[in-house]
Amino acid sequence: METKLAWDLLPEEFPYEDKGCELFPSCLNCPFPDCLKEEPWGKERFLKSRRAERMMELKREGKSVKEIARIFEVSPRTVQRWLKAVGIQKSKIKMTKQNAKTKNRGSNKNTESSSQ
């Protein structure tokens, strides 16, 4: 009888251990479609964006830039840069949504006027 090598096994027979990573405990339950560790700077980009979102939440709660800087152990200038970056990204998203709404309104007006 022939013994099968590990690379020759069917997926259900392969002895896979789902160890996850430091971001998520299980690869099979990870919310990302591709592994962040395999993307260039993927993990770092994810952690930085999560940190920036948290800074924005603290700012909305009424914390000052200096207080946020103390919490994250960075300079106040770093906090200002990250808040600006997150704010610009969010404003771009809002602007594209508003532009889509105004285009839809404009096309609705055109169809109404042509039907009269």
Side-chain angles (χ1 to χ4, degrees), residues 21-78:
C21 66
E22 58 270 5
L23 299 175
F24 294 97
S26 170
C27 291
L28 297 175
N29 296 324
C30 182
F32 299 104
D34 298 320
C35 184
L36 289 177
K37 290 177 72 175
E38 293 176 1
E39 291 181 27
W41 300 101
K43 179 181 124 183
E44 290 81 3
R45 192 177 324 120
F46 170 74
L47 293 174
K48 284 183 178 182
S49 65
R50 194 165 70 176
R51 179 177 75 168
E53 289 292 328
R54 182 65 183 134
M55 285 181 182
M56 187 63 97
E57 288 174 17
L58 290 171
K59 185 68 177 166
R60 277 190 227 114
E61 291 173 6
K63 301 270 186 203
S64 71
V65 171
K66 286 184 179 182
E67 289 173 321
I68 296 170
R70 274 191 229 116
I71 291 169
F72 286 95
E73 298 177 356
V74 294
S75 72
R77 179 65 185 128
T78 301

Side-chain angles (χ1 to χ4, degrees), residues 10-21:
L10 294 172
E12 58 271 6
E13 297 171 350
F14 190 81
Y16 175 72
E17 291 183 40
D18 187 10
K19 296 180 181 178
C21 66

Side-chain angles (χ1 to χ4, degrees), residues 80-92:
Q80 290 171 344
R81 282 188 293 114
W82 278 100
L83 291 175
K84 181 179 178 183
V86 173
I88 289 172
Q89 289 172 357
K90 289 192 176 195
S91 66
K92 284 182 182 179

Side-chain angles (χ1 to χ4, degrees), residues 2-13:
E2 228 177 281
T3 60
K4 289 186 177 182
L5 299 173
W7 56 269
D8 197 27
L9 295 174
L10 294 172
E12 58 271 6
E13 297 171 350

